[in-house]
Coordinates of all heavy atoms in Angstrom, one line a residue:
M1 N -9.1 10.6 11.5 CA -9.4 9.8 10.3 C -10.9 9.7 10.2 O -11.6 9.5 11.2 CB -8.8 8.4 10.4 CG -9.1 7.6 9.2 SD -8.2 6.0 9.3 CE -6.5 6.5 9.5
T2 N -11.5 10.0 9.0 CA -12.9 10.0 8.9 C -13.4 8.5 8.6 O -12.6 7.7 8.1 CB -13.3 10.9 7.7 OG1 -12.7 10.4 6.5 CG2 -12.9 12.3 8.0
T3 N -14.6 8.3 8.8 CA -15.2 7.0 8.7 C -15.0 6.4 7.3 O -14.7 5.2 7.2 CB -16.7 7.0 9.0 OG1 -16.9 7.5 10.3 CG2 -17.4 5.7 8.9
P4 N -15.2 7.1 6.2 CA -15.0 6.5 4.9 C -13.6 5.9 4.6 O -13.5 5.0 3.8 CB -15.3 7.6 3.9 CG -16.1 8.6 4.6 CD -15.6 8.5 6.0
H5 N -12.7 6.3 5.4 CA -11.3 5.8 5.2 C -11.0 4.6 6.0 O -10.0 3.9 5.8 CB -10.3 6.9 5.5 CG -10.3 8.0 4.5 ND1 -9.4 9.1 4.6 CD2 -11.2 8.3 3.5 CE1 -9.7 9.9 3.6 NE2 -10.8 9.5 3.0
L6 N -11.9 4.2 6.9 CA -11.7 3.1 7.8 C -11.5 1.8 7.0 O -10.6 1.0 7.3 CB -12.7 3.0 8.9 CG -12.6 4.0 10.0 CD1 -13.8 3.8 11.0 CD2 -11.3 3.9 10.7
P7 N -12.3 1.4 6.1 CA -12.1 0.2 5.3 C -10.7 0.2 4.6 O -10.0 -0.8 4.7 CB -13.2 0.2 4.3 CG -14.3 1.0 4.9 CD -13.6 2.1 5.7
L8 N -10.3 1.3 4.1 CA -9.0 1.4 3.5 C -7.9 1.2 4.5 O -6.9 0.4 4.3 CB -8.8 2.7 2.8 CG -7.4 3.0 2.2 CD1 -7.1 2.0 1.1 CD2 -7.3 4.4 1.7
Y9 N -8.1 1.8 5.6 CA -7.1 1.7 6.7 C -7.0 0.2 7.2 O -5.9 -0.3 7.3 CB -7.5 2.6 7.9 CG -6.7 2.5 9.1 CD1 -5.4 3.1 9.2 CD2 -7.1 1.7 10.2 CE1 -4.6 3.0 10.3 CE2 -6.3 1.6 11.4 CZ -5.0 2.3 11.4 OH -4.2 2.2 12.5
F10 N -8.1 -0.5 7.4 CA -8.1 -1.9 7.8 C -7.4 -2.7 6.7 O -6.6 -3.6 7.0 CB -9.5 -2.4 8.1 CG -10.1 -1.8 9.3 CD1 -11.3 -1.2 9.3 CD2 -9.4 -1.7 10.5 CE1 -11.9 -0.7 10.5 CE2 -9.9 -1.2 11.7 CZ -11.2 -0.7 11.7
L11 N -7.8 -2.5 5.5 CA -7.2 -3.3 4.4 C -5.7 -3.1 4.3 O -4.9 -4.0 4.2 CB -7.9 -2.9 3.0 CG -7.4 -3.6 1.8 CD1 -7.5 -5.1 1.9 CD2 -8.1 -3.1 0.6
F12 N -5.3 -1.8 4.3 CA -3.9 -1.5 4.3 C -3.1 -2.2 5.4 O -2.0 -2.8 5.1 CB -3.7 0.0 4.4 CG -2.3 0.5 4.4 CD1 -1.6 0.6 3.2 CD2 -1.7 0.9 5.6 CE1 -0.3 1.1 3.2 CE2 -0.4 1.4 5.6 CZ 0.3 1.5 4.4
N13 N -3.6 -2.1 6.6 CA -2.9 -2.7 7.7 C -2.9 -4.2 7.6 O -1.9 -4.9 8.0 CB -3.4 -2.2 9.0 CG -2.9 -0.9 9.4 OD1 -1.7 -0.6 9.2 ND2 -3.8 0.0 10.0
A14 N -4.0 -4.8 7.2 CA -4.0 -6.3 7.0 C -3.0 -6.7 6.0 O -2.3 -7.7 6.2 CB -5.4 -6.7 6.6
L15 N -2.8 -6.0 4.9 CA -1.8 -6.4 3.9 C -0.4 -6.2 4.4 O 0.4 -7.1 4.1 CB -2.1 -5.5 2.6 CG -3.4 -5.8 1.9 CD1 -3.6 -4.8 0.8 CD2 -3.4 -7.2 1.3
R16 N -0.2 -5.2 5.1 CA 1.2 -5.0 5.7 C 1.5 -6.1 6.7 O 2.6 -6.6 6.7 CB 1.3 -3.6 6.4 CG 1.4 -2.5 5.4 CD 1.4 -1.1 6.0 NE 2.3 -1.0 7.1 CZ 3.5 -0.4 7.1 NH1 3.8 0.3 6.1 NH2 4.2 -0.4 8.2
R17 N 0.5 -6.5 7.5 CA 0.8 -7.6 8.4 C 1.1 -8.9 7.7 O 1.7 -9.8 8.3 CB -0.4 -7.8 9.3 CG -0.8 -6.6 10.2 CD 0.0 -6.7 11.5 NE -0.6 -5.6 12.3 CZ 0.1 -5.0 13.2 NH1 1.3 -5.4 13.5 NH2 -0.4 -4.0 13.9
Q18 N 0.6 -9.0 6.5 CA 0.9 -10.2 5.7 C 2.2 -10.1 5.0 O 2.6 -11.0 4.2 CB -0.2 -10.4 4.7 CG -1.5 -10.9 5.3 CD -2.6 -11.2 4.3 OE1 -2.3 -11.7 3.2 NE2 -3.8 -11.1 4.6
G19 N 2.9 -9.0 5.2 CA 4.3 -8.9 4.6 C 4.3 -8.1 3.3 O 5.4 -8.0 2.7
W20 N 3.2 -7.4 2.9 CA 3.3 -6.6 1.7 C 4.1 -5.4 2.1 O 4.0 -4.8 3.1 CB 1.9 -6.2 1.3 CG 1.0 -7.3 0.8 CD1 1.0 -8.6 1.2 CD2 0.1 -7.2 -0.3 NE1 0.0 -9.3 0.5 CE2 -0.5 -8.4 -0.4 CE3 -0.3 -6.1 -1.1 CZ2 -1.5 -8.7 -1.4 CZ3 -1.3 -6.4 -2.1 CH2 -1.8 -7.6 -2.2
T21 N 4.9 -4.9 1.1 CA 5.8 -3.8 1.3 C 5.1 -2.5 0.9 O 5.4 -1.9 -0.1 CB 7.1 -3.9 0.6 OG1 6.8 -4.2 -0.8 CG2 8.0 -5.1 1.1
L22 N 4.1 -2.1 1.7 CA 3.3 -0.9 1.4 C 3.8 0.2 2.4 O 3.9 -0.1 3.6 CB 1.8 -1.2 1.6 CG 1.2 -2.2 0.7 CD1 -0.2 -2.5 1.1 CD2 1.3 -1.7 -0.8
G23 N 4.0 1.4 2.0 CA 4.4 2.4 2.8 C 3.3 3.5 2.9 O 2.2 3.4 2.3
L24 N 3.6 4.5 3.7 CA 2.7 5.6 3.9 C 2.3 6.3 2.5 O 1.1 6.7 2.3 CB 3.3 6.7 4.8 CG 2.4 7.8 5.2 CD1 1.1 7.4 5.8 CD2 3.1 8.8 6.1
D25 N 3.3 6.4 1.6 CA 2.9 7.0 0.3 C 1.9 6.2 -0.5 O 1.0 6.7 -1.1 CB 4.2 7.1 -0.6 CG 5.1 8.2 -0.1 OD1 4.7 9.1 0.7 OD2 6.3 8.2 -0.4
D26 N 2.0 4.8 -0.3 CA 1.0 4.0 -1.0 C -0.4 4.2 -0.4 O -1.4 4.3 -1.1 CB 1.3 2.5 -0.8 CG 2.6 2.1 -1.4 OD1 2.8 2.4 -2.6 OD2 3.5 1.6 -0.7
Y27 N -0.5 4.4 0.9 CA -1.8 4.6 1.6 C -2.3 6.0 1.2 O -3.5 6.1 0.8 CB -1.6 4.6 3.1 CG -2.9 4.8 3.9 CD1 -3.9 3.9 4.0 CD2 -3.1 6.1 4.5 CE1 -5.0 4.1 4.7 CE2 -4.3 6.3 5.1 CZ -5.2 5.3 5.2 OH -6.4 5.6 5.9
L28 N -1.5 7.0 1.2 CA -1.9 8.4 0.9 C -2.3 8.5 -0.6 O -3.2 9.3 -0.9 CB -0.8 9.4 1.2 CG -0.5 9.5 2.7 CD1 0.7 10.5 2.9 CD2 -1.7 10.0 3.5
A29 N -1.7 7.7 -1.5 CA -2.1 7.8 -2.9 C -3.6 7.3 -3.0 O -4.4 7.8 -3.7 CB -1.2 6.9 -3.7
A30 N -3.9 6.2 -2.3 CA -5.2 5.7 -2.3 C -6.2 6.7 -1.7 O -7.3 6.9 -2.2 CB -5.3 4.3 -1.6
V31 N -5.8 7.3 -0.6 CA -6.7 8.3 0.0 C -7.0 9.4 -0.9 O -8.1 9.9 -1.1 CB -6.1 8.8 1.3 CG1 -6.9 10.1 1.8 CG2 -6.1 7.7 2.4
Q32 N -6.0 9.9 -1.6 CA -6.1 11.0 -2.5 C -7.1 10.7 -3.7 O -7.9 11.5 -4.1 CB -4.8 11.5 -3.1 CG -3.9 12.2 -2.1 CD -4.6 13.5 -1.6 OE1 -5.3 14.2 -2.3 NE2 -4.4 13.7 -0.3
I33 N -7.0 9.4 -4.2 CA -7.8 9.0 -5.3 C -9.3 8.9 -4.8 O -10.2 9.3 -5.4 CB -7.4 7.7 -5.9 CG1 -6.0 7.9 -6.6 CG2 -8.4 7.1 -6.9 CD1 -5.3 6.7 -7.1
L34 N -9.5 8.3 -3.6 CA -10.8 8.2 -3.0 C -11.4 9.6 -2.8 O -12.6 9.8 -2.9 CB -10.8 7.4 -1.7 CG -10.5 5.9 -1.8 CD1 -10.4 5.3 -0.5 CD2 -11.7 5.3 -2.6
K35 N -10.6 10.6 -2.4 CA -11.1 11.9 -2.1 C -11.6 12.6 -3.4 O -12.5 13.5 -3.3 CB -10.0 12.8 -1.5 CG -9.8 12.6 0.0 CD -8.7 13.5 0.5 CE -8.5 13.4 2.0 NZ -7.5 14.4 2.5
T36 N -11.1 12.2 -4.5 CA -11.6 12.8 -5.8 C -13.0 12.5 -6.1 O -13.7 13.2 -6.8 CB -10.7 12.4 -7.0 OG1 -10.9 11.0 -7.2 CG2 -9.2 12.8 -6.8
G37 N -13.5 11.3 -5.5 CA -14.8 10.9 -5.8 C -15.0 10.1 -7.1 O -16.0 9.7 -7.5
I38 N -13.8 9.9 -7.8 CA -13.9 9.2 -9.1 C -14.0 7.7 -8.7 O -13.3 7.2 -7.9 CB -12.6 9.4 -9.9 CG1 -12.4 10.9 -10.2 CG2 -12.5 8.5 -11.1 CD1 -11.1 11.2 -10.8
I39 N -15.0 7.1 -9.4 CA -15.2 5.6 -9.2 C -14.2 4.9 -10.1 O -14.3 5.1 -11.3 CB -16.7 5.2 -9.5 CG1 -17.6 6.0 -8.4 CG2 -16.8 3.7 -9.4 CD1 -19.0 5.7 -8.7
V40 N -13.4 4.1 -9.5 CA -12.4 3.4 -10.2 C -12.9 2.2 -10.9 O -12.6 1.9 -12.1 CB -11.2 3.0 -9.3 CG1 -10.1 2.2 -10.1 CG2 -10.6 4.2 -8.7
G41 N -13.8 1.4 -10.2 CA -14.4 0.2 -10.8 C -15.7 0.5 -11.5 O -16.0 1.7 -11.8
N42 N -16.5 -0.5 -11.7 CA -17.7 -0.3 -12.4 C -18.9 -0.1 -11.5 O -20.0 0.1 -11.9 CB -18.0 -1.6 -13.3 CG -18.0 -2.9 -12.5 OD1 -17.8 -2.9 -11.3 ND2 -18.1 -4.0 -13.3
S43 N -18.6 -0.1 -10.2 CA -19.7 0.3 -9.2 C -19.0 0.7 -7.9 O -17.8 0.4 -7.6 CB -20.6 -0.9 -8.9 OG -20.0 -1.9 -8.1
Q44 N -19.7 1.4 -7.0 CA -19.2 1.8 -5.8 C -19.0 0.6 -4.8 O -18.2 0.7 -3.9 CB -20.1 2.8 -5.1 CG -19.9 4.2 -5.7 CD -20.7 5.3 -5.0 OE1 -21.8 5.1 -4.7 NE2 -20.0 6.3 -4.7
D45 N -19.7 -0.5 -5.1 CA -19.6 -1.6 -4.2 C -18.2 -2.2 -4.1 O -17.8 -2.7 -3.1 CB -20.6 -2.7 -4.6 CG -22.0 -2.3 -4.3 OD1 -22.3 -1.4 -3.5 OD2 -22.9 -2.9 -4.9
N46 N -17.5 -2.2 -5.2 CA -16.2 -2.8 -5.3 C -15.1 -1.8 -5.6 O -14.0 -2.1 -6.0 CB -16.1 -4.0 -6.2 CG -16.4 -3.5 -7.7 OD1 -16.6 -2.4 -7.9 ND2 -16.3 -4.5 -8.6
E47 N -15.4 -0.5 -5.3 CA -14.4 0.6 -5.6 C -13.1 0.4 -4.8 O -12.1 0.5 -5.4 CB -15.0 1.9 -5.3 CG -14.1 3.1 -5.6 CD -14.7 4.4 -5.2 OE1 -15.4 4.5 -4.2 OE2 -14.4 5.4 -5.9
L48 N -13.2 0.1 -3.5 CA -12.0 -0.1 -2.7 C -11.2 -1.2 -3.3 O -10.0 -1.1 -3.4 CB -12.4 -0.3 -1.3 CG -11.2 -0.5 -0.3 CD1 -10.4 0.8 -0.2 CD2 -11.7 -0.9 1.1
E49 N -11.8 -2.4 -3.6 CA -11.1 -3.5 -4.1 C -10.4 -3.2 -5.4 O -9.3 -3.5 -5.6 CB -12.1 -4.7 -4.3 CG -11.5 -5.9 -4.9 CD -12.5 -6.9 -5.4 OE1 -13.7 -6.8 -4.9 OE2 -12.2 -7.7 -6.3
Q50 N -11.2 -2.5 -6.3 CA -10.6 -2.2 -7.6 C -9.4 -1.2 -7.5 O -8.4 -1.4 -8.1 CB -11.7 -1.5 -8.5 CG -12.8 -2.4 -8.9 CD -12.5 -3.2 -10.1 OE1 -11.7 -2.8 -10.9 NE2 -13.2 -4.3 -10.2
L51 N -9.6 -0.2 -6.6 CA -8.5 0.8 -6.4 C -7.3 0.1 -5.8 O -6.2 0.3 -6.4 CB -9.0 1.9 -5.5 CG -8.0 2.9 -5.1 CD1 -7.4 3.7 -6.2 CD2 -8.5 3.8 -4.0
C52 N -7.4 -0.6 -4.8 CA -6.3 -1.2 -4.1 C -5.6 -2.3 -5.0 O -4.4 -2.4 -5.0 CB -6.7 -1.8 -2.8 SG -7.2 -0.5 -1.6
S53 N -6.4 -3.0 -5.8 CA -5.8 -4.0 -6.7 C -5.0 -3.3 -7.7 O -3.9 -3.7 -8.1 CB -6.9 -4.8 -7.4 OG -7.5 -5.7 -6.5
W54 N -5.5 -2.2 -8.2 CA -4.8 -1.4 -9.3 C -3.5 -0.8 -8.7 O -2.5 -0.9 -9.4 CB -5.8 -0.3 -9.8 CG -5.2 0.6 -10.8 CD1 -4.8 0.3 -12.1 CD2 -4.9 2.0 -10.6 NE1 -4.3 1.4 -12.7 CE2 -4.3 2.4 -11.9 CE3 -5.1 2.9 -9.6 CZ2 -4.0 3.8 -12.0 CZ3 -4.7 4.2 -9.8 CH2 -4.1 4.6 -11.0
L55 N -3.6 -0.3 -7.5 CA -2.4 0.4 -6.9 C -1.4 -0.6 -6.4 O -0.2 -0.4 -6.5 CB -2.8 1.3 -5.8 CG -3.5 2.6 -6.2 CD1 -4.0 3.3 -4.9 CD2 -2.6 3.5 -7.0
W56 N -1.8 -1.7 -5.7 CA -0.9 -2.4 -4.9 C -0.7 -3.9 -5.4 O 0.4 -4.4 -5.0 CB -1.4 -2.5 -3.5 CG -1.6 -1.2 -2.8 CD1 -1.0 0.0 -3.1 CD2 -2.5 -0.8 -1.7 NE1 -1.4 1.0 -2.3 CE2 -2.4 0.5 -1.5 CE3 -3.4 -1.6 -1.0 CZ2 -3.1 1.2 -0.5 CZ3 -4.1 -1.0 0.0 CH2 -4.0 0.4 0.3
A57 N -1.6 -4.5 -6.1 CA -1.4 -5.9 -6.4 C -0.4 -6.0 -7.6 O -0.5 -5.3 -8.6 CB -2.7 -6.5 -6.8
K58 N 0.5 -7.0 -7.5 CA 1.5 -7.3 -8.5 C 1.2 -8.6 -9.2 O 2.0 -8.9 -10.1 CB 2.9 -7.3 -7.9 CG 3.2 -6.1 -7.1 CD 3.4 -4.8 -7.9 CE 4.0 -3.7 -7.1 NZ 3.1 -2.7 -6.8
S59 N 0.2 -9.3 -8.8 CA 0.0 -10.6 -9.3 C -1.5 -11.0 -9.1 O -2.2 -10.4 -8.3 CB 0.8 -11.7 -8.7 OG 0.4 -11.9 -7.3
P60 N -2.0 -12.0 -9.9 CA -3.4 -12.4 -9.7 C -3.6 -12.9 -8.3 O -4.7 -12.7 -7.7 CB -3.6 -13.6 -10.7 CG -2.6 -13.3 -11.8 CD -1.4 -12.6 -11.1
E61 N -2.6 -13.5 -7.7 CA -2.8 -14.0 -6.3 C -2.9 -12.9 -5.3 O -3.7 -13.0 -4.4 CB -1.5 -14.8 -5.9 CG -1.4 -16.2 -6.6 CD -0.8 -16.0 -8.0 OE1 -0.2 -14.9 -8.4 OE2 -0.9 -17.0 -8.8
Q62 N -2.2 -11.8 -5.5 CA -2.4 -10.6 -4.7 C -3.7 -10.0 -4.9 O -4.3 -9.5 -3.9 CB -1.2 -9.6 -4.9 CG 0.1 -10.1 -4.3 CD 1.2 -9.1 -4.5 OE1 1.1 -8.2 -5.4 NE2 2.2 -9.2 -3.7
K63 N -4.2 -10.0 -6.1 CA -5.6 -9.4 -6.3 C -6.6 -10.3 -5.6 O -7.6 -9.7 -5.0 CB -5.9 -9.4 -7.8 CG -5.2 -8.3 -8.6 CD -5.6 -8.4 -10.0 CE -4.8 -7.3 -10.8 NZ -5.2 -7.2 -12.2
D64 N -6.4 -11.6 -5.5 CA -7.3 -12.4 -4.8 C -7.3 -12.2 -3.3 O -8.3 -12.2 -2.7 CB -7.0 -13.9 -5.1 CG -8.0 -14.8 -4.6 OD1 -9.2 -14.6 -4.8 OD2 -7.7 -15.8 -3.9
I65 N -6.1 -11.9 -2.8 CA -6.0 -11.6 -1.3 C -6.8 -10.3 -1.0 O -7.5 -10.2 -0.1 CB -4.5 -11.5 -0.9 CG1 -3.8 -12.8 -1.0 CG2 -4.4 -10.8 0.4 CD1 -2.3 -12.8 -0.9
I66 N -6.6 -9.3 -1.9 CA -7.3 -8.0 -1.7 C -8.8 -8.3 -1.8 O -9.6 -7.8 -1.0 CB -6.9 -7.0 -2.7 CG1 -5.4 -6.5 -2.4 CG2 -7.8 -5.8 -2.8 CD1 -4.8 -5.6 -3.4
Y67 N -9.3 -9.1 -2.7 CA -10.7 -9.4 -2.9 C -11.2 -10.1 -1.6 O -12.3 -9.7 -1.1 CB -10.9 -10.4 -4.1 CG -12.3 -10.9 -4.2 CD1 -13.3 -10.2 -4.6 CD2 -12.5 -12.2 -3.7 CE1 -14.6 -10.7 -4.7 CE2 -13.8 -12.7 -3.8 CZ -14.8 -12.0 -4.2 OH -16.1 -12.5 -4.3
Q68 N -10.5 -11.1 -1.1 CA -10.9 -11.8 0.1 C -11.0 -10.8 1.3 O -12.0 -10.9 2.1 CB -10.0 -12.9 0.4 CG -10.1 -14.1 -0.6 CD -9.0 -15.1 -0.4 OE1 -8.5 -15.2 0.7 NE2 -8.8 -15.9 -1.4
L69 N -10.0 -10.0 1.5 CA -10.1 -9.0 2.6 C -11.2 -8.0 2.4 O -11.9 -7.7 3.4 CB -8.7 -8.3 2.7 CG -7.6 -9.2 3.2 CD1 -6.3 -8.4 3.1 CD2 -7.8 -9.6 4.7
C70 N -11.5 -7.6 1.2 CA -12.6 -6.6 1.0 C -13.9 -7.3 1.3 O -14.8 -6.7 1.8 CB -12.5 -6.1 -0.4 SG -11.2 -4.9 -0.7
Q71 N -14.0 -8.6 1.0 CA -15.3 -9.3 1.3 C -15.5 -9.4 2.8 O -16.6 -9.2 3.2 CB -15.3 -10.7 0.7 CG -15.3 -10.7 -0.8 CD -16.5 -10.0 -1.4 OE1 -17.6 -10.2 -1.0 NE2 -16.3 -9.0 -2.3
R72 N -14.4 -9.6 3.5 CA -14.6 -9.7 5.0 C -15.0 -8.3 5.5 O -15.8 -8.2 6.4 CB -13.2 -10.1 5.6 CG -12.9 -11.6 5.3 CD -11.6 -11.9 6.0 NE -11.2 -13.2 5.5 CZ -10.0 -13.7 5.7 NH1 -9.1 -13.0 6.3 NH2 -9.7 -14.9 5.3
I73 N -14.4 -7.3 5.0 CA -14.7 -5.9 5.4 C -16.2 -5.6 5.1 O -16.9 -5.1 5.9 CB -13.7 -4.9 4.8 CG1 -12.3 -5.0 5.4 CG2 -14.3 -3.4 5.0 CD1 -11.3 -4.3 4.6
K74 N -16.6 -5.9 3.9 CA -18.0 -5.7 3.5 C -19.0 -6.4 4.4 O -20.1 -5.9 4.7 CB -18.2 -6.1 2.0 CG -17.6 -5.2 1.0 CD -17.9 -5.7 -0.3 CE -17.1 -5.0 -1.4 NZ -17.2 -5.6 -2.7
N75 N -18.6 -7.6 4.8 CA -19.5 -8.4 5.6 C -19.3 -8.1 7.1 O -19.8 -8.9 7.9 CB -19.2 -9.9 5.3 CG -19.6 -10.3 3.9 OD1 -20.5 -9.7 3.4 ND2 -18.9 -11.2 3.4
N76 N -18.6 -7.1 7.4 CA -18.3 -6.7 8.8 C -17.7 -7.8 9.6 O -17.9 -7.9 10.8 CB -19.6 -6.2 9.5 CG -20.1 -4.9 8.9 OD1 -19.3 -4.1 8.5 ND2 -21.4 -4.8 8.8
S77 N -16.9 -8.7 8.9 CA -16.2 -9.8 9.6 C -15.0 -9.2 10.2 O -14.4 -8.2 9.8 CB -15.9 -10.9 8.6 OG -17.1 -11.4 8.1
Q78 N -14.5 -9.9 11.2 CA -13.2 -9.6 11.8 C -12.1 -9.8 10.8 O -12.0 -10.9 10.2 CB -13.0 -10.5 13.0 CG -11.7 -10.2 13.8 CD -11.9 -9.1 14.8 OE1 -12.9 -8.7 15.2 NE2 -10.8 -8.5 15.2
V79 N -11.3 -8.8 10.5 CA -10.1 -8.9 9.7 C -9.0 -9.0 10.7 O -8.7 -8.1 11.4 CB -9.9 -7.7 8.8 CG1 -8.7 -7.8 8.0 CG2 -11.1 -7.5 7.9
D80 N -8.3 -10.2 10.6 CA -7.2 -10.4 11.5 C -6.0 -9.7 11.1 O -5.4 -9.9 10.1 CB -6.9 -11.9 11.6 CG -5.8 -12.3 12.6 OD1 -5.4 -11.4 13.3 OD2 -5.4 -13.5 12.6
L81 N -5.6 -8.7 11.9 CA -4.5 -7.8 11.6 C -3.2 -8.3 12.3 O -2.2 -7.7 12.1 CB -4.8 -6.4 12.0 CG -6.0 -5.7 11.4 CD1 -6.1 -4.3 11.9 CD2 -5.8 -5.7 9.9
S82 N -3.3 -9.4 13.0 CA -2.2 -9.8 13.8 C -1.3 -10.8 13.2 O -0.1 -10.9 13.6 CB -2.7 -10.4 15.2 OG -3.5 -11.5 14.9
S83 N -1.7 -11.6 12.2 CA -0.9 -12.6 11.7 C -1.1 -12.8 10.2 O -2.2 -12.6 9.7 CB -1.2 -14.0 12.4 OG -2.5 -14.3 12.2
P84 N 0.0 -13.2 9.5 CA -0.2 -13.4 8.1 C -1.1 -14.6 7.8 O -1.2 -15.5 8.5 CB 1.3 -13.7 7.6 CG 2.2 -13.4 8.7 CD 1.3 -13.4 10.0
Q85 N -1.7 -14.5 6.6 CA -2.6 -15.6 6.2 C -1.8 -16.4 5.1 O -1.1 -15.8 4.3 CB -3.9 -15.1 5.5 CG -4.8 -14.5 6.5 CD -6.1 -14.1 5.8 OE1 -6.1 -13.9 4.7 NE2 -7.2 -14.1 6.6
T86 N -1.9 -17.6 5.1 CA -1.3 -18.5 4.1 C -2.5 -19.2 3.4 O -3.0 -20.2 3.9 CB -0.3 -19.5 4.7 OG1 -1.0 -20.2 5.7 CG2 0.9 -18.7 5.2
E87 N -2.9 -18.7 2.3 CA -4.0 -19.3 1.5 C -3.5 -19.7 0.2 O -2.7 -19.1 -0.4 CB -5.2 -18.3 1.4 CG -5.7 -18.0 2.8 CD -6.9 -17.1 2.7 OE1 -7.6 -17.1 1.7 OE2 -7.2 -16.4 3.6

């Protein structure tokens, strides 16, 4: 796995640990879109957040979870992959 995919990998696994029903096809779809180089959002800074929200979030609450996890990843904070978060 190449370095650019690591944030996506961490986000994907964190969401699965929280009980999201994401499968390998969901992950690979995001990888394929990222490989195209097309910017999904309005800047590269939040591209991962925009992409994953668009692909995986089914509610405003889920978009907020993705946002929070992306902020932790951007700030190089520890993303807890071991237990679900209840926020």
Side-chain angles (χ1 to χ4, degrees):
M1 181 175 304
T2 61
T3 304
H5 295 184
L6 285 178
L8 175 63
Y9 177 77
F10 291 131
L11 178 60
F12 177 79
N13 280 321
L15 293 172
R16 285 178 47 109
R17 298 271 187 208
Q18 291 187 27
W20 291 39
T21 55
L22 298 172
L24 184 58
D25 288 341
D26 297 306
Y27 179 78
L28 293 176
V31 168
Q32 287 301 323
I33 292 171
L34 287 174
K35 280 184 178 181
T36 67
I38 297 170
I39 297 174
V40 178
N42 53 6
S43 76
Q44 284 187 309
D45 290 340
N46 64 357
E47 180 181 36
L48 181 65
E49 176 192 339
Q50 295 273 336
L51 173 64
C52 294
S53 290
W54 178 67
L55 287 175
W56 303 336
K58 307 290 189 256
S59 69
E61 293 80 14
Q62 288 184 336
K63 287 182 181 182
D64 190 48
I65 291 169
I66 290 172
Y67 170 79
Q68 291 174 17
L69 289 170
C70 284
Q71 292 304 308
R72 290 181 191 165
I73 290 169
K74 285 180 194 174
N75 295 328
N76 293 324
S77 298
Q78 180 86 19
V79 176
D80 184 6
L81 301 177
S82 61
S83 62
Q85 288 183 337
T86 54
E87 295 182 28

